[in-house]
Amino acid sequence: MEIEIKDIIVGERMRKSFAGIEELAASIAAHGLIEPIVIDENNVLIAGERRLRALCYLKRTSTTATVFKDLSLLQKKEIELEENIQRADFTWQEEVAAKLELHKLKQMLHGEAKQNSDNQNRWAIKDTANALGESSGTISSDLQLAKGLAAFPELLKEKSKTTAFKLLKQAQLRILNSEIAKRIRSSE
């Protein structure tokens, strides 16, 4: 159902930190509200406070909501907690692969930015960084790692993205040093 945001009652909530609201707002602006907020029959918010705050940030006056009726207080709290606890973040492997896929799709749509050329309206790493609310350095590292996983699948077993990236750089350096040594030997 469609509801006026001013009519939604936000009571005491479990979540106290609201980092990333601007990024969520940008996502909603670009793609719409994928998952509606959840309210009860009295317009009391059950789940979706971050989404609601992002909509307010966008100065939206109404939104879609799923209405749950005849719930006990315990059931309402259970839904609020389940939505936040059961949600699973990407693994680092899934995260870097998804970023690479997004980057490639945007380049297909807008064209790939090239070094030393007019890149107006072409998609670059900085554009992916802006779209995801991350630094260009982070996106650059993540894209390198995602591409490196194809060449070094053993990195998939690493527990952290940071460790995998360091091992990727070490492997690349070994290969480079080996190639330089081979060229030096062949030129003697």
Side-chain angles (χ1 to χ4, degrees):
M1 83 173 239
E2 191 75 13
I3 184 169
E4 293 290 314
I5 290 175
K6 66 178 177 51
D7 295 335
I8 299 170
I9 301 162
V10 179
E12 183 64 28
R13 312 287 300 157
M14 296 299 298
R15 183 181 294 278
K16 304 298 182 208
S17 173
F18 295 97
I21 295 296
E22 290 179 20
E23 292 82 0
L24 179 56
S27 174
I28 291 170
H31 306 291
L33 185 64
I34 296 168
E35 183 71 30
I37 63 166
V38 179
I39 59 174
D40 69 11
E41 66 272 16
N42 298 312
N43 298 341
V44 175
L45 184 69
I46 297 173
E49 187 174 5
R50 286 188 73 246
R51 284 168 274 163
L52 184 61
R53 285 175 180 253
L55 290 164
C56 290
Y57 180 87
L58 292 170
K59 298 183 178 11
R60 301 275 174 90
T61 58
S62 66
T63 187
T64 56
T66 301
V67 180
F68 284 19
K69 295 181 179 179
D70 301 320
L71 296 176
S72 69
L73 180 60
L74 178 63
Q75 289 169 315
K76 290 175 187 179
K77 283 296 177 189
E78 183 179 30
I79 291 168
E80 177 187 359
L81 290 170
E82 285 290 327
E83 181 182 68
N84 288 293
I85 293 172
Q86 295 302 331
R87 181 185 58 82
D89 290 334
F90 278 146
T91 64
W92 72 261
Q93 297 90 336
E94 294 166 332
E95 176 191 345
V96 298
K99 288 176 181 178
L100 180 60
E101 185 173 349
L102 174 69
H103 185 69
K104 286 180 175 180
L105 287 170
K106 293 292 192 174
Q107 286 183 324
M108 287 172 53
L109 287 170
H110 302 283
E112 183 179 347
K114 307 277 186 200
Q115 270 190 308
N116 303 323
S117 66
D118 177 22
N119 287 316
Q120 191 173 8
N121 298 323
R122 298 206 177 262
W123 198 263
I125 288 174
K126 68 177 176 52
D127 299 309
T128 300
N130 289 337
L132 296 176
E134 296 185 5
S135 72
S136 293
T138 296
I139 295 299
S140 177
S141 297
D142 286 354
L143 298 181
Q144 288 176 56
L145 182 54
K147 291 173 186 174
L149 292 175
F152 303 99
E154 65 274 13
L155 296 176
L156 288 165
K157 297 175 187 168
E158 294 303 320
K159 291 185 180 184
S160 78
K161 180 170 61 169
T162 303
T163 301
F165 186 75
K166 286 178 185 175
L167 293 173
L168 172 65
K169 287 301 173 188
Q170 290 171 2
Q172 290 172 330
L173 186 58
R174 278 193 309 274
I175 291 168
L176 180 62
N177 287 337
S178 175
E179 182 62 28
I180 290 170
K182 187 187 326 176
R183 288 183 185 194
I184 288 172
R185 283 191 302 274
S186 69
S187 69
E188 292 175 342

